[in-house]
Amino acid sequence: MINRLFLKDHLSFEEANLVFGSGLSVFTGVSGAGKSVLMDALLGVFGFKDIDARLVEADCLYEFDMGEYGIESSDINTFKLLKDKSARYFINNQSISKKNLAKIASLHLKYLSAKEISEFENTRLLNVLDTLAMKKNPKFGDILAKFRAKFDEFSSVKKELEKINEDEKKIEELKEFASFEINKISNINPKEGEFDELIAIKKKLSKKDKIEEAWGKADAIFAYEKAVMDALHISDIDAGFFSDALNELKVARSSVSFEDIEDMDIEKILDRIEALNSLVKRYGSIKEALGVLETRKNELARYEKIEFEKHDLENKFAKIKDEIEALGAQISASRSEQIAKFSTILNEYLANLYMSKVSVSLNQKELDSSGSDDVCLSLDSANLKNLSSGEINRLRLAFIASEVSITEFGNGVLILDEIDANLSGKEAMSIANVLLELACFYQIFAISHQPQLSSKAHHHFLVEKNGNKSSVKELDINERILELSRMISGEVITQEARQFAKKLLCIKD
């Protein structure tokens, strides 16, 4: 439920702070008072419309699924629009794009514009038929669940088969490429760690001559060991430091040896390094090259047995297809049995709304996760898109009411766009009665041009304009009588208008 709306500096409104209750809320007022401006603010804060308000806030009591956008839902979720040079949107003080804001809001809020027909999406119509079928046969739900599970398996096998068919078209090219990489890596036959070891040997070999030459000169120091020791003893100087230093030098000298590489062929080492380096450049490292080798071997093995895989998949695909077609046929038969009942319920509501009957039919379509059924509605053989705004509005209400009646479920907010515009009094009253029924499940906001709908509201808001400034307030019972009287007779309120207003409100004198 939306329980609060605050707006600041929105066209003719300097400021407004409204608290809403459940059920049906209706906004009335003379033309140009600002009803549409106010409704646009309500739509704008949820990303359904572009508006020029400096600030709009709306508090909602619904739990929204916003985890994927990094926003946590709370007991009261606050939607906010701030506009300076450009509009910025927030939920619980966390910034969000307008597109994602509207996507989140649409989980619970439905804006029904004049030519909107999204209520008649096939999945929604099928859900109504499926609910009726489950009421008649509780096992129908199990059949549906089994069909959906089988269809998921069918889709998975179909993708695998399509991939194999695609691979088969270029199998020779793929086999040639896999064989090329296998041969390239296998011919070099690299070992993990080998490249680094050979680089170290290369560095040692490159300095061998210089190291030996340097030590050839440095070895002369050992010939003077005795002379230095004698000089230190004669001079009464402790020779320990020299002895220690010379011993460390001997140890260091003995560690310098090329025996491990004496018999190595430098040319072979360089050739090996070059071969390994070509793999490193191509694959990033020897480890990755070995990984590619294993992958290509597996791929080549798969290409070799692809015919066997394809044959098995084709058999599996055919079997599952037969199963889902059989389940789909059961589902279609159950849905067909409910067409008449659904049509009766829908047309009863349409009759109450002074509308012609709608014909409901079930046509076949390509099999998908919902089955192979396409529900078609037509009014006097007219396509829904060719109906007038008034007809669309009443048909929409009839369907939503039928849906609620059948599923016994409805939740969220309905925001209606001039639902009773250009209708007669009896048509407006029929819409009011249907909205009252829906108000047991939905919170409803509507601008009304007729006293009939306004009289049925649980909350009646009057929008007024003084000069260039608009204001809005919720009316008490006496103020409602006055406003309904104005709607009935105009600015000059007659006694008859007051009596009719009281009658609409079921108030006795």
Side-chain angles (χ1 to χ4, degrees), residues 165-223:
N165 286 330
E166 192 63 33
D167 287 348
E168 199 174 37
K169 293 177 183 177
K170 48 185 180 181
I171 193 73
E172 290 306 319
E173 182 182 337
L174 290 169
K175 285 171 67 175
E176 184 179 339
F177 177 71
S179 298
F180 168 77
E181 294 223 300
I182 290 170
N183 291 333
K184 180 177 180 62
I185 300 170
S186 296
N187 288 339
I188 295 174
N189 192 25
K191 304 291 187 295
E192 204 168 333
E194 179 188 7
F195 184 66
D196 293 334
E197 289 175 8
L198 290 177
I199 290 295
I201 290 171
K202 178 185 175 184
K203 287 180 180 178
K204 192 173 182 180
L205 283 170
S206 68
K207 295 193 293 182
K208 179 176 179 290
D209 292 340
K210 289 183 179 180
I211 291 172
E212 288 179 337
E213 181 183 354
W215 277 109
K217 294 176 181 179
D219 283 345
I221 192 171
F222 299 116

Side-chain angles (χ1 to χ4, degrees), residues 12-249:
S12 57
F13 284 92
E14 285 186 346
E15 185 173 304
N17 187 32
L18 298 175
V19 176
F20 300 119
S22 59
L24 173 61
S25 293
V26 171
F27 299 85
T28 66
V30 299
S31 296
K35 300 184 296 297
S36 295
V37 172
L38 185 64
M39 192 64 75
D40 285 349
L42 183 63
L43 294 168
V45 74
F46 295 111
F48 295 145
K49 272 199 172 184
D50 293 319
I51 58 171
D52 291 323
R54 185 160 68 88
L55 169 65
V56 185
E57 282 186 356
D59 291 339
C60 294
L61 301 181
Y62 295 111
E63 183 176 339
F64 291 88
D65 183 8
M66 305 181 285
E68 66 176 292
Y69 305 102
I71 300 175
E72 289 188 11
S73 187
S74 61
D75 292 338
I76 298 177
N77 291 292
T78 300
F79 291 71
K80 183 186 293 184
L81 180 155
L82 285 173
K83 191 165 187 178
D84 185 6
K85 293 182 180 178
S86 61
R88 292 177 295 152
Y89 298 89
F90 302 85
I91 302 178
N92 298 338
N93 291 320
Q94 296 183 64
S95 180
I96 190 166
S97 70
K98 179 186 175 185
K99 180 180 178 181
N100 289 335
L101 172 92
K103 192 181 294 183
I104 290 169
S106 64
L107 296 174
H108 293 290
L109 281 72
K110 298 177 184 178
Y111 168 45
L112 308 182
S113 61
K115 295 294 285 185
E116 176 65 48
I117 59 171
S118 63
E119 281 82 19
F120 309 114
E121 290 175 352
N122 194 51
T123 52
R124 198 161 165 185
L125 292 164
L126 288 177
N127 181 59
V128 171
L129 292 177
D130 290 344
T131 302
L132 287 170
M134 279 185 271
K135 286 182 177 181
K136 182 179 179 182
N137 177 16
K139 292 183 179 179
F140 180 77
D142 296 332
I143 297 172
L144 267 180
K146 187 176 180 181
F147 170 83
R148 287 165 183 160
K150 276 292 176 185
F151 188 84
D152 288 342
E153 186 181 359
F154 172 79
S155 299
S156 178
V157 172
K158 186 179 180 182
K159 284 181 181 178
E160 288 184 59
L161 194 56
E162 287 173 349
K163 186 177 187 310
I164 281 183
N165 286 330
E166 192 63 33
D167 287 348
E168 199 174 37
K169 293 177 183 177
K170 48 185 180 181
I171 193 73
E172 290 306 319
E173 182 182 337
L174 290 169
K175 285 171 67 175
E176 184 179 339
F177 177 71
S179 298
F180 168 77
E181 294 223 300
I182 290 170
N183 291 333
K184 180 177 180 62
I185 300 170
S186 296
N187 288 339
I188 295 174
N189 192 25
K191 304 291 187 295
E192 204 168 333
E194 179 188 7
F195 184 66
D196 293 334
E197 289 175 8
L198 290 177
I199 290 295
I201 290 171
K202 178 185 175 184
K203 287 180 180 178
K204 192 173 182 180
L205 283 170
S206 68
K207 295 193 293 182
K208 179 176 179 290
D209 292 340
K210 289 183 179 180
I211 291 172
E212 288 179 337
E213 181 183 354
W215 277 109
K217 294 176 181 179
D219 283 345
I221 192 171
F222 299 116
Y224 293 97
E225 179 181 1
K226 187 176 185 307
V228 174
M229 292 293 287
D230 289 344
L232 291 171
H233 286 313
I234 293 171
S235 304
D236 294 326
I237 297 173
D238 184 5
F241 75 92
F242 179 71
S243 179
D244 291 341
L246 207 61
N247 286 334
E248 288 184 25
L249 183 60

Side-chain angles (χ1 to χ4, degrees), residues 424-439:
S424 67
K426 68 177 183 180
E427 290 170 335
M429 183 58 81
S430 67
I431 284 179
N433 289 329
V434 173
L435 287 179
L436 275 181
E437 190 174 328
L438 288 173

